[in-house]
Amino acid sequence: MVTTSLPLIENHSPAHICPYDQACSYLEWAAKELKLDQGIVEILSHPRKVVTVSIPIRMDSGEVRVFAGHRVQHSDILGPYKGGIRYHEAVTLREVSALAMLMTWKCALLGIPYGGGKGGIPIDPKEFSVGELERISRRYISELIKDIGPSVDIPAPDMGTSAREMAWMMDTYSVNVGHSVPGVVTGKPLSIGGSLGREMATGRGVMIIVREAIADHGKSLVGVRVAIQGFGNVGGAAAELLHQQGAKIIAVSSASGGIFAENGLDISAVKAYAAANHRSVVGFPQGTPISNADLLTLPCDVLIPAALENQITAENVHQIKAQFVAEAANGPVTLEANRVLEAQGVTVLPDILANAGGVVVSYLEWVQGLSYLFWDEERVNREMEHLMVQAYRKVIHESQARGVNLRLAAYTLGVGRVAQALNDRGLYP
C-alpha cells in the first residue's frame, strides 16, 4: 500500500471513506496494471505543493473573521496546474488533495497540456453577502499571488463558485501585477475573456459520453430513461442536453430532495422552477417527491450522480438498477462499489472521462485568451466534442486490449502518460 502524508492530517472516523486515500488506491490500482516503478508511484502519490492561507475578512457587521483557504498543486509534469476552486462547508485539505490528483489524470487522459490542481475554502456561500464573498475571494487569491499565473496555475469555478468569483479573482491578480491577465483563470464572464460554451461544458461532456456508450450498445438516446442526482450547473445542463436528444429524464434532485415522474419531467419547467426557488427542485408540482438516496435506486437505463462524492458505496450498491452509471460528480462511486457494479454487468463511465468537458473548455478558453482570438460557440463545442469522443474511444480500446473495466482503462491511460513524461524528464537534481 502506498503511504501518503499531508502537512495537515484531519481526523475522520474509520467508517468515513477518505477521498485522498481512495485517490491513492486508484493510482496504486493503475500502477499495478502498468507495472510502474515504485519510485514513480511514490512521487505521483504526493502533491508537489500544498498551500494553506489565512483569509482575514471584515464582515458587513464590522466583525473580523478569519477563514482558511487551500490550494493543492499535484503535478506539473505535463503543464501548468489546472483545477477549480470550491466554496463548500465540507471542504478539507485531504479532499482538495484528492481532487487535484484526479485532475492530473483527467488532463492527461484528455491529452490536455495541464497538471492537476484544486482549491477550496470551507464556507457555505449562501451564508454570506455578495460583498463578503467578494472580499473573501479577493483576499484568498491575493494570498496565492505567487503561486498562480497563466503559465503556473490556472484556477476555475467549482462547487459554490461561478464566473462572478472568477472575475473578482482575475481582477485582483491583474491589479497586483499591473496589467490585465485574462489567462490567469478560466470560467470568466464573456466580457473579460471568457469562452462561449463554458457554462454548459461539463454537462455537455456528460451527454457526449453517455451518447457514445449507449451507441456502442446499439441504442440511441431517444426514450432512454435517465435519473440525475444533483440539478446544479452540471446535472442541470446534462438533463437539458439529454432531454434535447430525446432522453426521458425521470428524476432529478437538489440538496434537499428530488422529484420523480414515471413518464418523464419537463426539464425546461423544472429549470424555471428551480431558478425561482433558490435552486431547489423540491415542491415542483408535476413531480412526486423522492429522496436523494431513493433516486439512486430507481429502475432506469442511465444513472448520473452529479452531486457529491461517495454516493454509491458498499451499503447501497446492490440496490442500483441502472444499466449505465455516468459519474458527473467527482468520485461518486467508491472503488469497492465500482467492482460490484461491474460484476453485475453495469457499465460505469468514470469521472475522469465523463465529467471532463469542463476542463476541456477551460483549456480552450485559456488558448483563446493567450492568443486574443476568440471563437464562436459552434467551434468551441466542436473542438470539445472531438476531444471527448477521442478520449472515449481510447478508453474503450484500452479496456478491450487489457481486458479491464473502463475505470481502470481510463486510469492506465492517464497515469501512464504522466509516468512516461516523468520518466522522460528525469528526476532533478
Side-chain angles (χ1 to χ4, degrees):
M1 181 71 179
V2 173
T3 58
T4 61
S5 60
L6 288 170
L8 298 178
I9 304 298
E10 292 133 345
N11 292 326
H12 53 277
S13 66
H16 179 71
I17 301 169
C18 174
Y20 189 67
D21 290 345
Q22 180 160 293
C24 288
S25 295
Y26 287 140
L27 167 60
E28 192 174 67
W29 192 28
K32 183 177 180 180
E33 176 67 25
L34 292 165
K35 298 179 174 59
L36 292 183
D37 177 82
Q38 188 59 30
I40 288 180
V41 179
E42 185 70 14
I43 292 171
L44 296 179
S45 68
H46 293 77
R48 183 170 180 188
K49 182 182 284 190
V50 177
V51 181
T52 297
V53 298
S54 177
I55 307 170
I57 297 297
R58 189 174 300 280
M59 309 299 287
D60 292 344
S61 64
E63 173 193 11
V64 173
R65 293 180 60 185
V66 180
F67 305 93
H70 306 303
R71 186 69 182 174
V72 175
Q73 298 169 335
H74 175 256
S75 170
D76 63 349
I77 295 296
L78 295 177
Y81 304 104
K82 185 78 186 82
I85 292 172
R86 60 174 50 184
Y87 292 175
H88 190 276
E89 60 269 33
V91 164
T92 67
L93 184 57
R94 296 187 75 84
E95 176 198 43
V96 173
S97 299
L99 295 172
M101 183 186 291
L102 295 181
M103 184 62 80
T104 296
W105 317 139
K106 184 183 298 185
C107 293
L109 172 62
L110 270 292
I112 296 172
Y114 283 149
K118 205 74 172 184
I121 304 174
I123 59 172
D124 180 353
K126 296 190 292 293
E127 295 180 355
F128 298 85
S129 70
V130 172
E132 289 168 341
L133 287 172
E134 180 174 359
R135 293 193 289 277
I136 289 170
S137 300
R138 287 183 179 275
R139 183 58 184 260
Y140 170 67
I141 216 69
S142 68
E143 294 291 341
L144 295 174
I145 206 80
K146 296 179 181 178
D147 296 297
I148 62 171
S151 60
V152 180
D153 185 354
I154 307 142
D158 200 279
M159 187 183 302
T161 58
S162 65
R164 179 185 67 181
E165 284 75 17
M166 294 306 106
W168 294 333
M169 292 179 185
M170 177 263 187
D171 179 70
T172 302
Y173 183 89
S174 298
V175 168
N176 274 272
V177 301
H179 58 91
S180 183
V181 188
V184 69
V185 298
T186 58
K188 304 179 296 296
L190 293 175
S191 61
I192 54 173
S195 176
L196 292 166
R198 177 63 180 83
E199 186 176 351
M200 300 283 282
T202 307
R204 184 177 298 278
V206 173
M207 181 274 290
I208 290 169
I209 297 302
V210 169
R211 183 197 67 200
E212 294 298 304
I214 290 286
D216 279 352
H217 285 72
K219 301 179 182 178
S220 75
L221 287 172
V222 177
V224 167
R225 293 166 60 83
V226 181
I228 303 176
Q229 185 200 48
F231 199 67
N233 181 53
V234 178
E240 181 178 350
L241 293 166
L242 285 164
H243 184 68
Q244 290 173 6
Q245 295 291 318
K248 186 181 292 186
I249 313 300
I250 62 169
V252 298
S253 67
S254 47
S256 53
I259 49 175
F260 166 75
E262 178 66 33
N263 295 319
L265 294 160
D266 181 341
I267 295 303
S268 296
V270 175
K271 289 195 76 170
Y273 178 86
N277 195 38
H278 306 290
R279 296 186 292 182
S280 174
V281 302
V282 174
F284 180 70
Q286 283 78 52
T288 302
I290 189 171
S291 69
N292 271 291
D294 287 341
L295 181 147
L296 294 173
T297 63
L298 286 172
C300 60
D301 298 306
V302 181
L303 174 62
I304 303 178
L308 296 172
E309 67 274 0
N310 300 331
Q311 296 301 296
I312 301 177
T313 67
E315 295 178 358
N316 64 355
V317 66
H318 293 286
Q319 301 172 50
I320 303 301
K321 303 179 184 70
Q323 183 181 358
F324 298 88
V325 175
E327 293 186 313
N330 289 308
V333 181
T334 66
L335 182 55
E336 183 180 356
N338 188 98
R339 289 170 174 152
V340 173
L341 290 173
E342 293 287 347
Q344 294 175 344
V346 178
T347 299
V348 180
L349 303 169
D351 51 2
I352 64 169
L353 172 65
N355 69 19
V359 72
V360 170
V361 177
S362 279
Y363 165 62
L364 298 177
E365 178 181 331
W366 180 67
V367 169
Q368 293 171 77
L370 291 178
S371 64
Y372 290 89
L373 180 63
F374 293 89
W375 308 336
D376 59 30
E377 188 167 0
E378 182 182 356
R379 179 176 177 184
V380 172
N381 290 340
R382 186 173 66 248
E383 297 282 354
M384 189 265 274
E385 175 149 348
H386 169 72
L387 288 171
M388 292 294 294
V389 173
Q390 177 179 260
Y392 173 80
R393 291 295 160 205
K394 287 181 178 178
V395 170
I396 294 297
H397 180 267
E398 182 83 350
S399 172
Q400 294 170 347
R402 291 186 177 274
V404 299
N405 63 34
L406 298 186
R407 186 184 303 281
L408 182 52
Y411 273 87
T412 55
L413 286 169
V415 172
R417 184 175 180 221
V418 178
Q420 183 63 53
L422 178 59
N423 189 65
D424 291 341
R425 287 182 56 166
L427 185 61
Y428 178 83

